[in-house]
Every structure is written in C-alpha cells, then in structure tokens.
Amino acid sequence: MITIQGKGVSTGVAAGPLYFYQRAKGTLRRYEVEDREAEFARFKAAQAKAMEQLGVLAEKAREEAGDEAAMLFETHQMMCEDMDYEEAIEGFIRESGINAEAAVTDAGAAQAEAFAAMEDDYFKARAADVKDISTRIVGILMGVVQGGIDSEVPVILAADDLAPSETVQLDKSKILGFVTSGGSGSSHTAILARTMGIPAIIGVGDQLKPEYEGREVIVDGGTGSVVVDADDDTRERLMKKRTELLHRQQLLNQLRGQPNVSRDGQEVRIYCNIGNPEDVHAVLENDGGGIGLFRSEFLYLNCDDYPTEDYQFEAYKKVLSDMGGKEVVIRTLDIGADKMIGYFNLPHEENPALGNRALRICLNRPEIFRTQLRALYRASAYGRLSIMFPMVTSVWEVKEAKKLCEQVKAELAEEGIPFSEEVDVGIMIETPAAAVVSDRLAKVVDFFSIGTNDLTQYTLACDRQNNDLGRFFNAHHPAVLRLIKMVAENAHKEGIWCGICGELGADLDLTETFLSIGIDELSVSPRSVLPLRQKVRDTEVAAVREKLVDDLMSDRNTI
Ligand code: PEP
Ligand code: MG
C-alpha cells in the first residue's frame, strides 16, 4: 500500500483505477517513407478523424455554452481542411518524402509563424489555432487519444493540471475523482470538481508515479490522501466513510425545496457561485435559489482573444434562460492580480493585487467594458439579471461605471434591441475602503455583496495566494467581521440588501453570526447549499444574537 498526501480541494471519497490524462505529446519521430502515396492517405485518414472529433466537440460546446462557443471548434474544422495547409503537408510528404507526423508538424509550424507575423490581432491569434489542429492530427497519427480518457470504466483522473479548454473536452461521466500534481484550490480542475461534486486532491507533486496507472486508488478529498493498492483495513475504513458521506448527502437531499428559515423564522437567501454556463446544472441540482456570483472572467480566460459581444451575449443568455427567472448576479470582468490574460497585454506590475485590475481596467479601457455591458443588457431580456462591479474603492468609480450602463442602454434603445429596465446594479465590497465608505456607496447602488476573499486579503494585508501565510490569513479576524457588520448596517439603513459571496459565506461556524447581523443572502458553491440550509434551519438566531454581536466587538477571535 502506498499513501500519498496532497491537498483536498473537493470533498468526498472515491475508488477506481488510476488513469493519467492523455496529451498528444510523446516523441515525434521523423523518417523517410517508402510509399509516399500510402503516407498521404494516412494523413487524409487522420485529418478525417480530426474533423469528426471537432464536430463532436462543437456540438458539445453548443449544448453547454451556446452557438458562439461552438464556433471555436467549427473554425478549427475549417482550418483543418484549409487548402494551403493541406497542400503544404502534401508537398512535404510527396516531394520531400517525410512521414505524415513530421509533415503536419512542419506545415503547422510554418503556418503558425506566418499568422503570428501578421499585423491584425485577429489573425495573430490564429497561430495558436493552427498549432492546436496540428497537435490534434499528429496525436491521431501517433495513436494518442485526444480528449483525455480512453477507458470503458470510470476512473480517477491524474494530470499535472488541466487547462480550461481541456476540461471542456472531458467526458465527465468517466471521472470519479481528480488528482493533480500541481494546481491550486482555485485552479480550473478544483472548481470543476467542486461543481461536479466529486473528490479532488491537488499538489501531490511527483509522488504519483506513471507505473501506478491502472492500479486501484482511493482518494479522500476531505483529508487530501491518495491510497494506491489499499490494504484491507484502510479500504474498509475509507469505504465506510464513503457510505457515511453518501448517506449524509441523501439526508441533505430531503432538504431540497425547503425554505432557508431559522427556527425562529429568520430567512436568508442561499444562492450559488458559478464560473461558467455549464455550472447552472449544479445550481439547479442543489436547489440554489439563484446565482449570487457569476465570475464572468471565465469567458475571457477561455478565449485566445477578446470575446465578442455576441459570444458573451450567448453565454449570459444561456445562464439567464436556464435559471428560469431566478435572480442571476453577473460580475463584470475581474482580471488582473491572480487572473492574468495574455491578450490584455497588461504591463508587469510590482504589486498586481494593488494594481490595474477588475473595475480599474474596465474604467481605463471603456471599449472592453462597453462590449461586456452591451452583451449583459442584451441578455437581460431573457431572465432576471443583476450586474455587479468588483474591486470598488470609491463612489466616483461606481458613478462612472453606471454612466456607461446608461449610455449602453440608450444605444440599445436607439438600435431597437430589447433589454430589461429592471436590471439591478450592485457592487462587491472587497476593499476596506469600500467597507468604510459603504454608507455613501449604499446611496448609489441596489445591493452589496461582500467578497470576503479579497476583503480579508486587503484588511489583513495578507496575500491570499501565498500558502505560507496560512495562519495569518484569518478570515475570522474581528477586523473582517466588524467590517462585515458595518457594511450590512449601512446597506440596511439605505434599504438595500447585503450578501456575502466570498468563501466565508459557506463557513458553518459563522452562519449564526451572519444571521444575527442580518445578512440577506449567502452565495456559495452549489454543493454547499444544502449543508448551509441545514445549518440555518438548526439555528435560533434571537437566542444568540446579542452574544454573537458582542463577540464581534471583543477578542473572542485571537487578535
Ligand atoms: C472575493 O474576493 O471574495 C470574491 C468572491 O471574488 P474572487 O474570489 O473572484 O476574487
Ligand atoms: Mg474578489
């Protein structure tokens, strides 16, 4: 038995054969062929297979994220059959007599170089597409399975980490759990695992050896352990834990459809945080009351260039219509700091967390912001949309952003494009400045949602990305809790609602505190909805209100 320790980022226990995610790499062999005709036919067969795979991917993307998302793969199909590309490959095979793998690689590299040298940004970005297509065809020629999982049975998937475009392609019914050598709790794999409700362990480094492939592993996403070839006692213990967790989930399922009301009648809305349109399934499955935070940067991270208005419109529209009239709070672009995107060409900064990020970028580059706002307002005709701005520090920023909203609405009205007049506009409170001037901010917005991840980082001057600062990053610090209380009070004085969408919202040790200070909405990962509902229903707020509020002002939490 071999036990490997990583960091659990999505709870649950699962057992299954270990399977390493397949990428089309391997060593490319370059050789001269005898039968050039047969070699060209081998290329044509691989090209046809690539077209077929891309067709399947386009359909899958269409189902999950709409027509615009499918277009990426349809463009790849067109490029795969492009005459110039094919003729270059044919030339290498027929005239130089080299094998198909080498011919595709060389032709792809030459075409990518030509695209990269072009002036136009759109064509520049196509260089990555040509490389992607060539990698796919070479993978087929070399017999490497594309799309990750070539197994009849579901597996525990091991990888270094997965790119967003790779996660789109995974057959999710084949995955029992994830183990990655790198990654972080906010990596795409971790977010995907939490949303799918399957265990995930990250950061196992090189402890997971290729020779473990196919052997049975048991992963425990709660403790972060990965056991290869478990002995009988360990297997029995972990399987018992698995049964208990499943049983607990069944009990929680009975809470579906029940209200989030405390024993003494205080109600709180429990919404969900999502990262992409597919996640709506998990929201509905877990009975989330709405979406309190759609991190729209997913759309930008998933593209090689600025996503167009139509592309964004399709994605927002899909989420709004799939939510069937329930409230959906979409946060405008929040990049910079930990979420960098190459094509934004942001200059290097000494302190990116304090730099040009989120709303600051949007106000400095209004053309990008306007595209997103137009897409959002257009989508508002298909459901109940609220728009939220991140990283606010001052009232003037909000006023400037709202002015752009008004301009966009006026434009749409003039163009005769429908949109809803009922869109609420709110802000995230995630800087101490915003919390301190929340009395003023409350006068200019419709709601607040407290981003406790950043609020903790900025209040405690403690980098949320730095794992070595673990014990200093204390979201229970009274400084953070007092700010939350102050923000809620200022919101209520102006008659607007106040929610929490940072990770702290799902912290069951604080549910009573949040109810006692009158938080109106908690937005959490879909899987946290039912445990949180259970906790709310078990709480008697009046009985603990005074004590809890007193505690916030004292040093109950180590200062
Ligand atoms: C937060 O800062 O608490 C938040 C919800 O936003 P993000 O984690 O995306 O920065
Ligand atoms: Mg934040």
Side-chain angles (χ1 to χ4, degrees):
M1 178 173 95
I2 303 148
T3 304
I4 294 166
Q5 194 57 45
K7 185 175 170 204
V9 289
S10 178
T11 54
V13 174
L18 187 70
Y19 187 93
F20 280 87
Y21 181 73
Q22 302 280 339
R23 283 202 181 96
K25 35 189 185 198
T27 322
L28 177 79
R29 288 200 312 124
R30 187 175 282 278
Y31 53 91
E32 266 192 39
V33 292
E34 280 177 15
D35 186 343
R36 296 180 184 193
E37 209 47 56
E39 194 63 7
F40 184 61
R42 205 162 75 80
F43 158 71
K44 288 296 287 178
Q47 183 192 40
K49 178 89 186 151
M51 291 294 290
E52 191 187 308
Q53 286 179 354
L54 289 164
V56 172
L57 286 173
E59 275 324 299
K60 193 159 157 31
R62 192 182 324 280
E63 266 169 38
E64 291 172 353
D67 288 347
E68 284 282 327
M71 250 176 70
L72 169 75
F73 298 108
E74 286 164 354
T75 310
H76 278 203
Q77 277 187 314
M78 267 156 49
M79 294 172 86
C80 183
E81 287 199 318
D82 176 77
M83 288 286 280
D84 290 342
Y85 179 58
E86 187 173 325
E87 277 170 14
I89 294 167
E90 190 171 1
F92 281 124
I93 297 175
R94 286 198 205 273
E95 284 150 38
S96 314
I98 58 171
N99 60 318
E101 289 87 339
V104 172
T105 306
D106 292 353
Q111 215 179 57
E113 209 174 297
F115 273 127
M118 289 184 183
E119 282 287 306
D120 186 298
D121 282 348
Y122 174 82
F123 286 112
K124 257 192 196 344
R126 301 287 71 77
D129 293 321
V130 179
K131 279 192 201 146
D132 207 348
I133 293 157
S134 299
T135 310
R136 179 176 296 282
I137 301 177
V138 171
I140 295 167
L141 286 163
M142 288 168 52
V144 179
V145 181
Q146 287 285 344
I149 309 170
D150 181 28
S151 164
E152 292 296 313
V153 293
V155 297
I156 306 286
L157 191 65
D160 43 4
D161 198 11
L162 296 169
S165 62
E166 290 171 325
T167 59
V168 171
Q169 305 186 22
L170 289 173
D171 177 354
K172 313 219 173 32
S173 66
K174 289 274 175 64
I175 309 170
L176 297 165
F178 284 109
V179 187
T180 63
S181 48
S184 76
S186 57
S187 68
H188 217 74
T189 317
I191 292 170
L192 177 74
R194 282 197 290 268
T195 312
M196 287 169 68
I198 61 172
I201 290 135
I202 59 164
V204 298
D206 56 7
Q207 300 175 81
L208 208 57
K209 311 266 185 259
E211 59 264 30
Y212 302 158
E213 169 121 35
R215 284 157 71 175
E216 191 199 58
V217 292
I218 308 180
V219 291
D220 181 344
T223 61
S225 78
V226 181
V227 185
V228 185
D229 298 335
D231 62 28
D232 288 349
D233 284 354
T234 310
R235 161 163 258 286
E236 195 179 324
R237 178 175 56 79
L238 286 169
M239 287 300 113
K240 192 164 164 238
K241 184 168 176 184
R242 182 167 181 272
T243 312
E244 281 166 8
L245 287 171
L246 290 174
H247 182 61
R248 188 173 139 68
Q249 187 56 45
Q250 275 164 5
L251 286 178
L252 285 173
N253 283 342
Q254 292 172 8
L255 288 176
R256 289 171 53 87
Q258 301 292 324
N260 311 307
V261 184
S262 71
R263 284 207 218 158
D264 50 340
Q266 185 170 325
E267 191 151 11
V268 64
R269 301 196 301 276
I270 302 184
Y271 282 11
C272 294
N273 296 346
I274 64 164
N276 68 63
E278 272 180 69
D279 296 344
V280 171
H281 293 298
V283 177
L284 298 174
E285 210 172 282
N286 288 281
D287 203 22
I291 290 171
L293 169 65
F294 175 11
R295 292 180 160 100
S296 68
E297 47 282 2
F298 151 82
L299 297 173
Y300 293 75
L301 286 162
N302 229 3
C303 293
D304 298 332
D305 203 347
Y306 298 101
T308 62
E309 180 184 317
D310 281 347
Y311 177 84
Q312 295 190 53
F313 163 67
E314 290 292 344
Y316 304 145
K317 176 179 152 194
K318 180 162 170 50
V319 172
L320 283 157
S321 11
D322 288 357
M323 284 300 290
K326 290 183 173 173
E327 183 171 14
V328 176
V329 180
I330 302 186
R331 174 175 77 184
T332 56
L333 181 62
D334 183 14
I335 62 150
D338 52 321
K339 300 168 200 143
M340 290 308 277
I341 299 180
Y343 57 82
F344 272 75
N345 290 321
L346 294 170
H348 171 77
E349 292 180 275
E350 288 302 322
N351 287 305
L354 306 182
N356 195 18
R357 54 169 298 199
L359 187 61
R360 295 173 185 177
I361 295 180
C362 291
L363 295 181
N364 284 340
R365 295 172 69 178
E367 69 290 356
I368 296 174
F369 198 24
R370 283 164 53 83
T371 304
Q372 179 169 40
L373 291 175
R374 278 184 62 96
L376 285 168
Y377 276 103
R378 280 174 59 193
S380 70
Y382 298 86
R384 189 168 155 224
L385 172 71
S386 296
I387 295 177
M388 174 159 82
F389 306 130
M391 249 323 253
V392 167
T393 56
S394 306
V395 174
W396 71 262
E397 298 160 352
V398 181
K399 286 189 172 164
E400 199 169 306
K402 284 183 71 174
K403 209 158 142 192
L404 282 164
C405 291
E406 290 310 314
Q407 283 173 8
V408 160
K409 281 160 66 178
E411 264 171 38
L412 293 176
E414 203 166 303
E415 292 164 33
I417 299 176
F419 62 91
S420 164
E421 288 287 356
E422 312 287 309
V423 178
D424 280 348
V425 176
I427 54 171
M428 294 194 65
I429 301 284
E430 50 183 352
T431 65
V436 173
V437 298
S438 54
D439 55 334
R440 305 283 183 83
L441 288 164
K443 293 183 196 300
V444 294
V445 295
D446 299 313
F447 64 90
F448 286 159
S449 185
I450 306 177
T452 51
N453 309 335
D454 277 318
L455 187 62
T456 306
Q457 148 161 282
Y458 293 126
T459 304
L460 303 184
C462 193
D463 184 355
R464 63 188 267 195
Q465 296 286 103
N466 186 341
N467 283 338
D468 295 341
L469 291 175
R471 68 197 175 108
F472 298 98
F473 191 90
N474 173 18
H476 289 205
H477 194 295
V480 178
L481 299 180
R482 287 183 199 188
L483 286 178
I484 294 175
K485 178 168 176 281
M486 186 171 111
V487 170
E489 282 168 0
N490 283 333
H492 295 153
K493 272 188 210 145
E494 291 298 330
I496 64 170
W497 63 265
C498 177
I500 295 179
C501 62
E503 293 303 306
L504 211 58
D507 186 332
L508 301 183
D509 288 340
L510 286 173
T511 311
E512 289 172 335
T513 304
F514 292 151
L515 289 177
S516 75
I517 60 179
I519 292 294
D520 304 282
E521 176 244 31
L522 293 165
S523 191
V524 298
S525 73
R527 250 210 306 175
S528 299
V529 169
L530 295 176
L532 187 53
R533 177 170 297 164
Q534 174 81 67
K535 178 74 189 185
V536 170
R537 293 169 65 85
D538 287 347
T539 300
E540 190 156 336
V541 190
V544 287
R545 176 170 284 119
E546 267 175 42
K547 185 182 167 311
L548 286 169
V549 174
D550 273 0
D551 275 355
L552 288 186
M553 297 302 153
S554 74
D555 57 358
R556 173 179 70 130
N557 309 292
T558 333
I559 301 186

